[in-house]
Amino acid sequence: MGQRRLRRCSQSHRQEATDHRRRRHRGLSAIEAGFDVFVVTDASGTFNDITRNAAWDRMSAAGVQLVSWFAAASELHRDWRRDVAGLGTLFANHIPDYKNLMDSYSRTSQNR
């Protein structure tokens, strides 16, 4: 049982390292091909700070733009007038402070 558990842990760490290698390689290859590349940093596939930060440093030095999921969603949406409720709901469901802001705005708007 101990051997099986150790093997699973080892496979898990290999998977994390492989995930970062793949992402780093794809990003660097796309930069070399002339593409603008954005990596969503909080969608990382590793819990190892050293591995993650080394991959981010290398990609950033090569010109990859490192962004959060919030920034990526905002960039993809581009214009708040297109779907205020949809994007607002996405943010409210994942960011408690944003939900509080939306609720406060709704109550204030209703009282006018």
Side-chain angles (χ1 to χ4, degrees):
M1 178 120 147
Q3 287 255 2
R4 182 175 290 160
R5 187 176 196 182
L6 180 60
R7 195 174 304 134
R8 281 192 195 139
C9 287
S10 153
Q11 288 170 346
S12 172
H13 289 297
R14 266 184 288 179
Q15 180 60 39
E16 287 177 20
T18 301
D19 180 52
H20 265 284
R21 254 185 260 128
R22 277 192 215 123
R23 186 174 296 144
R24 184 187 68 220
H25 179 69
R26 282 190 215 126
L28 296 176
S29 294
I31 285 286
E32 289 171 5
F35 290 95
D36 292 333
V37 178
F38 295 83
V39 169
V40 180
T41 56
D42 42 3
S44 172
T46 185
F47 297 105
N48 184 309
D49 291 342
I50 295 170
T51 302
R52 180 186 60 235
N53 292 340
W56 288 350
D57 289 346
R58 185 166 177 207
M59 287 187 289
S60 180
V64 173
Q65 299 293 315
L66 305 177
V67 298
S68 67
W69 76 266
F70 184 90
S74 297
E75 284 288 325
L76 290 171
H77 195 270
R78 297 212 183 255
D79 188 344
W80 281 87
R81 293 171 292 187
R82 289 180 21 198
D83 183 18
V84 175
L87 189 62
T89 300
L90 173 71
F91 290 161
N93 287 340
H94 294 281
I95 306 169
D97 290 340
Y98 194 86
K99 181 171 178 15
N100 294 338
L101 178 68
M102 298 267 301
D103 291 345
S104 175
Y105 177 78
S106 293
R107 281 192 295 275
T108 302
S109 296
Q110 288 172 354
N111 292 336
R112 288 184 182 182

